[in-house]
């Protein structure tokens, strides 16, 4: 890190990252998250927190990433501390394999259907307009719909097994919220998500 100036950090995805998670290694710090579904690149959200999206420190300097670099702001604490090493996990969308976005809750047991273009194997989502835990659902711990075995990456809590309140159906091209729980489907609330496919395209590339 070099807190005296903004920095552009190179990455080798060759695609524009839709989600970036940055962590300072040598000191206690938050996990700062950039996500395409937040209000803008002036906002961040924290993987280790229930906080809503916020603009404090503006760590990305209001600059969306490109296919080769992302920007961290000078004096932005957790993402650009002078003399400290940081690690960045960058995720891009790959058709049929990964999807990142946002949706708005409707407060109904027949919740919003969120198109991914594939059947999900793993979904992590977070409410952004208010406080709330991050939630992880997957097809290994919950093998039938509705999926309701919940892990919270911002918490040390044990798995919420067979949750009676948070339920999600994994469908062939999307996922659907099947409960009114505030963690996933409050009316007019905003949520971000990352999803990975259950059966990505395995066709061998051609020369």
């Amino acid at each position: 890190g070099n807190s005296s100036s903004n920095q552009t950090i190179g990455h080798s995805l060759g695609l524009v990252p839709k989600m970036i998670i940055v962590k300072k290694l040598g000191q206690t710090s938050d996990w700062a998250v950039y996500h395409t579904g937040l209000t803008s690149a002036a906002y961040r959200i924290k993987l280790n927190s229930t906080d809503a999206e916020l603009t404090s420190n503006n760590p990305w300097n209001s600059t969306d990433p490109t296919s080769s670099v992302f920007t961290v702001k000078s004096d932005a604490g957790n993402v650009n501390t002078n003399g400290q090493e940081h690690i960045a996990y960058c995720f891009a969308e790959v058709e049929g394999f990964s999807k990142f976005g946002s949706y708005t809750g409707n407060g109904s047991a027949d919740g919003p259907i969120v198109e991914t273009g594939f059947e999900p194997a793993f979904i992590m989502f977070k409410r952004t307009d208010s406080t709330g835990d991050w939630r992880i659902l997957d097809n290994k711990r919950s093998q039938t719909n509705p999926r309701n075995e919940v892990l919270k990456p911002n918490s040390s809590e044990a798995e919420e097994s067979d949750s009676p309140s948070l339920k999600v159906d994994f469908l062939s091209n999307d996922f659907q919220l099947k409960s009114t729980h505030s963690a996933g489907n409050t009316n007019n609330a905003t949520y971000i998500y990352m999803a990975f496919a259950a059966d990505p395209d395995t066709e061998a590339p051609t020369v």
Side-chain angles (χ1 to χ4, degrees):
N2 180 3
S3 61
S4 63
S5 63
N6 298 335
Q7 289 187 276
T8 54
I9 313 298
H11 65 80
S12 58
L13 290 175
L15 300 168
V16 177
K18 299 296 185 179
M19 183 173 181
I20 302 171
I21 304 172
V22 175
K23 178 73 171 71
K24 182 166 49 177
L25 301 182
Q27 297 175 342
T28 301
S29 70
D30 292 318
W31 293 76
V33 177
Y34 165 91
H35 193 285
T36 187
L38 296 178
T39 298
S40 75
Y43 286 78
R44 66 166 173 161
I45 201 160
K46 296 185 286 188
L47 184 62
N48 57 300
S49 171
T50 62
D51 289 351
E53 66 174 3
L54 64 164
T55 57
S56 62
N57 293 330
N58 188 5
W60 323 116
N61 199 40
S62 301
T63 305
D64 288 310
T66 73
S67 60
S68 59
V69 300
F70 68 93
T71 300
V72 291
K73 186 181 178 183
S74 61
D75 300 314
N78 296 327
V79 300
N80 192 15
T81 300
N82 191 35
Q84 288 292 316
E85 288 188 294
H86 303 72
I87 192 165
Y89 300 94
C90 301
F91 299 90
E93 281 187 354
V94 176
E95 186 175 358
F97 180 79
S98 57
K99 185 76 174 177
F100 304 81
S102 64
Y103 67 89
T104 301
N106 66 9
S108 167
D110 281 321
I113 297 173
V114 183
E115 184 177 349
T116 56
F118 52 77
E119 179 182 337
F122 171 101
I123 303 171
M124 181 167 70
F125 54 95
K126 168 79 172 77
R127 185 172 179 176
T128 60
D129 65 315
S130 183
T131 58
D133 290 306
W134 292 81
R135 308 287 174 130
I136 292 174
L137 298 165
D138 61 70
N139 67 356
K140 297 298 185 287
R141 293 174 303 116
S142 296
Q143 297 185 7
T144 58
N145 288 329
R147 318 296 169 139
N148 61 350
E149 310 290 331
V150 179
L151 289 171
K152 303 175 185 178
N154 59 282
S155 170
S156 61
E157 292 178 18
E159 174 189 63
E160 186 178 342
S161 179
D162 194 23
S163 169
S165 52
L166 181 61
K167 301 177 181 181
V168 180
D169 280 354
F170 288 13
L171 305 172
S172 59
N173 289 296
D174 41 53
F175 63 91
Q176 183 177 19
L177 280 297
K178 299 297 290 184
S179 70
T180 61
H181 195 283
S182 61
N185 191 24
T186 290
N187 190 37
N188 291 324
T190 305
Y191 301 84
I192 58 172
Y193 69 89
M194 65 185 301
F196 293 96
D199 187 22
D201 185 358
T202 56
E203 182 179 348
T206 57
V207 177

